[in-house]
Amino acid sequence: MILIAVDNKDYSLVSEWSEITLDKAISLSAIAVPEADDQFDLFRSIDTVKQFWKLMSNVPDDKIDMINPNALIYYFNKYMIPMLMDLHSTTPKTYQPELIDQFKHNGVTYLMPQSLVIDEETIVLQHGQPVKCFIEASNLLKQFSEMKRDGLKAMALFVAAIVKEQHDELFDEAMVAERAKRFATLPMDIVWEVFFCTSLLTAKRLRDTLQSMTTAIENIKGAAKSRWDMKLGRMRSRKAEL
């Protein structure tokens, strides 16, 4: 959090993901980030810069107009742009995952997923689809990348589907839908933790699948070689008899 003074009063500006909720991030991602080669280009988009200020600070709207445009653009470039770019990218670069195993939200403790399998199905939710619609887990990053701004809208539902309050908790669509409503105010650092956790589980699943396929191929090759050796042995035996 960055403290700034406007009109002799102290206000704060967001500088950490833990200070942004998921619903706020969705609002931020809905605003197109100005394309600017230098600071002078941003002056032509100063109204857009002010929009981000309104969402990423607690400075009253009428006070934002009192801030020097140079200061607005300086803080925009230094603190806002990197985070905004992450909301539109495949993987956030401004967040370093801690790989937590649980988190607390609104007084409730939630357990991070240990696998992407629910009710013997591999789960990854696509935006706009019912809760119980599954696709391959390896498509998660691809889906998130392609959805860009809309991708965040699916995250509350996705997080609600894969975290648990108890280890033996059974999957229930109504419970997941209700939990997703509560997760609208989930801090973005927790959202990124679930994102990275899922990414690691996806990578592990792909690695295990590849290892299984490699082992199967080696077994097939071994069986084929064994059959060929037996066939060659019989041919040699018949040749000796002749």
Side-chain angles (χ1 to χ4, degrees), residues 136-138 201-212:
E136 285 296 314
S138 58
L201 290 174
T202 299
K204 181 179 183 298
R205 182 174 180 273
L206 291 176
R207 183 198 64 196
D208 292 345
T209 299
L210 180 61
Q211 183 176 354
S212 177

Side-chain angles (χ1 to χ4, degrees), residues 86-99:
D86 276 351
L87 292 177
H88 294 271
S89 65
T90 305
T91 305
K93 299 179 177 61
T94 58
Y95 184 78
Q96 183 65 35
E98 298 179 8
L99 303 180

Side-chain angles (χ1 to χ4, degrees), residues 91-92 95 97-103 111-116 137 140-141 155 158-159 162-163 189-205:
T91 305
Y95 184 78
E98 298 179 8
L99 303 180
I100 60 176
D101 54 14
Q102 64 181 38
F103 64 88
L111 306 175
M112 296 290 279
Q114 297 179 343
S115 72
L116 293 179
L140 173 62
L141 300 184
M155 289 305 290
F158 177 74
V159 175
I162 64 174
V163 301
D189 60 325
I190 300 300
V191 174
W192 290 138
E193 284 293 332
V194 175
F195 180 84
F196 279 108
C197 175
T198 308
S199 301
L200 288 175
L201 290 174
T202 299
K204 181 179 183 298
R205 182 174 180 273

Side-chain angles (χ1 to χ4, degrees), residues 131-187:
V131 175
K132 200 72 172 182
C133 186
F134 301 98
I135 61 173
E136 285 296 314
S138 58
N139 283 335
L140 173 62
L141 300 184
K142 179 175 180 292
Q143 291 296 323
F144 188 86
S145 175
E146 290 179 350
M147 288 186 289
K148 295 186 181 297
R149 285 184 297 179
D150 289 339
L152 284 174
K153 295 179 182 179
M155 289 305 290
L157 189 60
F158 177 74
V159 175
I162 64 174
V163 301
K164 294 182 177 181
E165 295 179 37
Q166 303 292 334
H167 286 292
D168 57 352
E169 177 183 294
L170 298 177
F171 184 86
D172 179 81
E173 292 187 28
M175 177 190 65
V176 169
E178 182 60 33
R179 182 184 291 167
K181 296 178 182 178
R182 299 195 297 269
F183 281 174
T185 56
L186 199 64

Side-chain angles (χ1 to χ4, degrees), residues 71-88:
L72 290 175
I73 291 174
Y74 170 79
Y75 284 103
F76 178 76
N77 275 329
K78 186 173 178 62
Y79 297 104
M80 300 184 192
I81 277 288
M83 302 177 81
L84 295 174
M85 296 305 293
D86 276 351
L87 292 177
H88 294 271

Side-chain angles (χ1 to χ4, degrees), residues 230-242:
M230 292 176 62
K231 184 177 181 180
L232 185 61
R234 288 195 298 269
M235 292 173 62
R236 286 172 177 170
S237 178
R238 290 176 182 174
K239 182 180 180 181
E241 290 177 3
L242 291 174

